C-alpha cells in the first residue's frame, strides 16, 4: 500500500494508529460516563464507534507492515493506546493522574527499547 500524499510510512502509520486509538478509547470507555444508559445501548454505541477504529487501524497496519514488523506495530499501537488513554481518563473521565501511573507508563515505554533494538 502506498502512503497517501507521499508521506513517510512511519508518519502514516503512527497518524492512523493515533486516530484509531481515539475512536477505540471512546468505544471502550466513553460509555462509563453514561452508566444510567441500558447496557445494550452502550454495547451498540461502542460497536458503532469501533467500526471507525477498524477503518483506521487496518490501513495503519497495512501501511506500516514491511517497514515495521508485526511486533513493532503492536508495540507502537500499545504505546499510543496508553498515551491516548492517559489524556482521555484525565480530560474526559476526570480521573486524577497519579505519580505511580506515570512511573508504570514510563517503564512500559522504556521496554520498547528492547523491542526496537537490533541485537
Amino acid at each position: 500500500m502506498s502512503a497517501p500524499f507521499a508521506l513517510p510510512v512511519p508518519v502514516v502509520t503512527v497518524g492512523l494508529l493515533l486516530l484509531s486509538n481515539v475512536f477505540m478509547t471512546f468505544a471502550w470507555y466513553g460509555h462509563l460516563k453514561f452508566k444510567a444508559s441500558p447496557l445494550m445501548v452502550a454495547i451498540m454505541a461502542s460497536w458503532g464507534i469501533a467500526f471507525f477504529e477498524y477503518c483506521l487501524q487496518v490501513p495503519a497496519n497495512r501501511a506500516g507492515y514491511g517497514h515495521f514488523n508485526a511486533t513493532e506495530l503492536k508495540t507502537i499501537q500499545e504505546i499510543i493506546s496508553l498515551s491516548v488513554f492517559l489524556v482521555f481518563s484525565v480530560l474526559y473521565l476526570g480521573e486524577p493522574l497519579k505519580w505511580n501511573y506515570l512511573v508504570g507508563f514510563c517503564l512500559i515505554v522504556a521496554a520498547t527499547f528492547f523491542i526496537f533494538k537490533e541485537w
Side-chain angles (χ1 to χ4, degrees), residues 7 9-10 12 18 20 25-26 34 39 53-54 57 62 64 72-75 82-83 99 105 107 112:
L7 294 172
V9 170
V12 172
L18 180 63
S20 77
T25 302
F26 274 96
F34 305 99
L39 181 58
E53 179 227 340
Y54 280 91
Q57 178 83 19
R62 287 249 177 138
E72 291 170 338
L73 281 171
K74 182 61 178 171
T75 302
L82 287 170
S83 301
W99 71 268
F105 180 69
L107 290 172
T112 63

Side-chain angles (χ1 to χ4, degrees), residues 61-84:
N61 287 329
R62 287 249 177 138
Y65 190 65
H67 184 86
F68 301 107
N69 65 42
T71 301
E72 291 170 338
L73 281 171
K74 182 61 178 171
T75 302
I76 294 166
Q77 190 277 327
E78 291 300 331
I79 295 300
I80 291 170
S81 179
L82 287 170
S83 301
V84 168

Side-chain angles (χ1 to χ4, degrees), residues 9-71:
V9 170
V11 171
V12 172
T13 302
V14 170
L16 289 172
L17 287 174
L18 180 63
L19 291 172
S20 77
N21 274 279
V22 169
F23 281 103
M24 178 194 73
T25 302
F26 274 96
W28 288 11
Y29 302 101
H31 62 88
L32 296 177
K33 284 185 83 169
F34 305 99
K35 292 201 62 149
S37 296
L39 181 58
M40 189 52 68
V41 170
I43 291 169
M44 296 307 287
S46 293
W47 194 32
I49 295 168
F51 169 77
F52 296 102
E53 179 227 340
Y54 280 91
C55 287
L56 297 165
Q57 178 83 19
V58 171
N61 287 329
R62 287 249 177 138
Y65 190 65
H67 184 86
F68 301 107
N69 65 42
T71 301

